Amino acid sequence: MRVSPPISSTSLVYSPKQQERLIKYQQTQQQQISTQFTKRRCKINDITLYDCGGHRQTSRSVSWNSTGTFLSFASSFDRLAKIWTIDSSSATNNNNTREYTALMGHTAPVERVRFHPNEPSLLCTAAEDRSVRIWDIRHNNNHNHNRSNNHKMELKSPDKYGNCPASIEWSTQGMYVAVGEKNDVVHVYDVRKCDTNQPCASFDLSTQHSVLQECHFSPCGQHLVAATKSSVDGMGQVRIWRWNTGGGDDGGGEEEVKDDASVFVGHTGPIYTLAFSPDGTRLATGGSDALVGLWDVSTMVCASTITRRTKFVRSVAFSYDSKFVASCSEEDGVDISLACDGSKVGLVSLSSTATEGGGGGGGQQQQQQQRGYQMNYGNGIGGGADEICFHPKAYIIACARNYSSTGGGGGGGGGGG
């Protein structure tokens, strides 16, 4: 995969030459879209909504393991990382979710959870106690809490930058973890040597006038891809640089972010979130301008834009087959779109009263049941989600939701295309 295109660091949105390039690209893409895969053939059918955790469990992060057998969410209330199993075959029952275990060890609210991309029992967590931990959840089953059953990495940034990292992400093969700290420095840790608490590479984005929001590994594992905001003009940027001089996902020496790193401007404000499609061909970005950008990875052209949200986009996620992209904000519901062009498939509402068009009414649940929908609204509170994640093998979305008073920790919704 080639992530560094021939065009260097200029805006793909505002340059006339780039606009001409984008038009030609879109015309080519339209010719490649199969007539059997159009918006009118894709719709959300049977939906089931249910809560994990109960009214006291608030969460800001959620993650499926690689096999889809476990769902983890960051529990802010009791400083635990909760692991749940969900029986999708009996999704209409009220008791279809079950807590598998809870990971005890953090001394402050847990803010981020990320399962290993290949090992279904390995989980990485980050909390406001200035630590990142890697757990084997098999050793904590039946609530056999063992505080020593994890590898701990301490944050490197001074206390004034906060107590929790901005992001944690695994590399493609799971040998490394990128920890983005709030002083705009990205540290890469080799998980085979994380007991040393020393990163194998570190990159300071503040030297490039960038404010870090998130940092991910590219699908090939050779590059780091950061969602940033320019500290000069406030524009949202995707910054890409090669971190691994050894090639592949096999390790690399320490480097610094060079001036010639590829920079792509795609939003009029900070980019808060990004995600690669499982097939590695697309990148989705969401920002404070309430837009979702869909990028072609081979050329880094922002080919499509989703404009249906009105508040800043908090999270984006691709389905397991890379056909659909989901996005969420503070508004009610999760927007589902075609990944090929961003056209609307539907809205998975998280409210017991809101309709897809934004209205309300007591007949909404009855109407949905008549259309074949099956709903278990749990606490009945609407609103958006802090983070969403697609199941690795099915059209099921998990949502992390954080409420100040009452709310649900993790919710799941399934849609068919």
Side-chain angles (χ1 to χ4, degrees), residues 91-168:
T92 59
N93 298 330
N94 291 329
N95 296 322
N96 60 331
T97 62
R98 178 177 64 87
E99 182 178 318
Y100 175 77
T101 189
L103 305 179
M104 179 184 294
H106 286 294
T107 58
V110 181
E111 292 290 324
R112 294 287 182 270
V113 290
R114 290 292 184 272
F115 265 111
H116 191 281
N118 303 312
E119 294 292 337
S121 62
L122 293 185
L123 179 71
C124 184
T125 62
E128 292 183 4
D129 57 5
R130 297 186 56 81
S131 73
V132 175
R133 296 172 184 257
I134 297 177
W135 312 74
D136 187 336
I137 66 173
R138 295 171 298 182
H139 296 169
N140 288 271
N141 195 12
N142 299 321
H143 296 272
N144 181 23
H145 304 303
N146 185 351
R147 293 175 182 268
S148 64
N149 179 40
N150 62 81
H151 300 286
K152 182 179 178 181
M153 296 164 283
E154 300 283 352
L155 298 191
K156 305 299 181 184
S157 58
D159 292 347
K160 67 178 182 179
Y161 291 103
N163 297 322
C164 184
S167 67
I168 53 171

Side-chain angles (χ1 to χ4, degrees), residues 13-14 235 266-274 284-295 302 304-316 327-329 331 335:
V13 178
Y14 307 104
M235 298 294 287
H267 293 262
T268 57
I271 298 177
Y272 289 131
T273 180
L274 59 83
T285 58
S288 65
D289 53 7
L291 300 178
V292 175
L294 298 176
W295 304 68
C302 186
S304 304
T305 304
I306 301 172
T307 62
R308 291 182 292 274
R309 304 274 83 179
T310 61
K311 297 183 179 180
F312 74 87
V313 178
R314 289 182 169 182
S315 182
V316 292
S327 59
C328 66
S329 66
E331 304 159 274
D335 183 271

Side-chain angles (χ1 to χ4, degrees), residues 210-240:
S210 293
V211 179
L212 177 67
Q213 304 292 337
E214 272 191 13
C215 189
H216 293 240
F217 288 92
S218 65
C220 69
Q222 297 181 5
H223 300 79
L224 287 172
V225 183
T228 68
K229 179 190 78 170
S230 170
S231 58
V232 178
D233 56 15
M235 298 294 287
Q237 300 174 337
V238 178
R239 182 175 288 271
I240 304 173

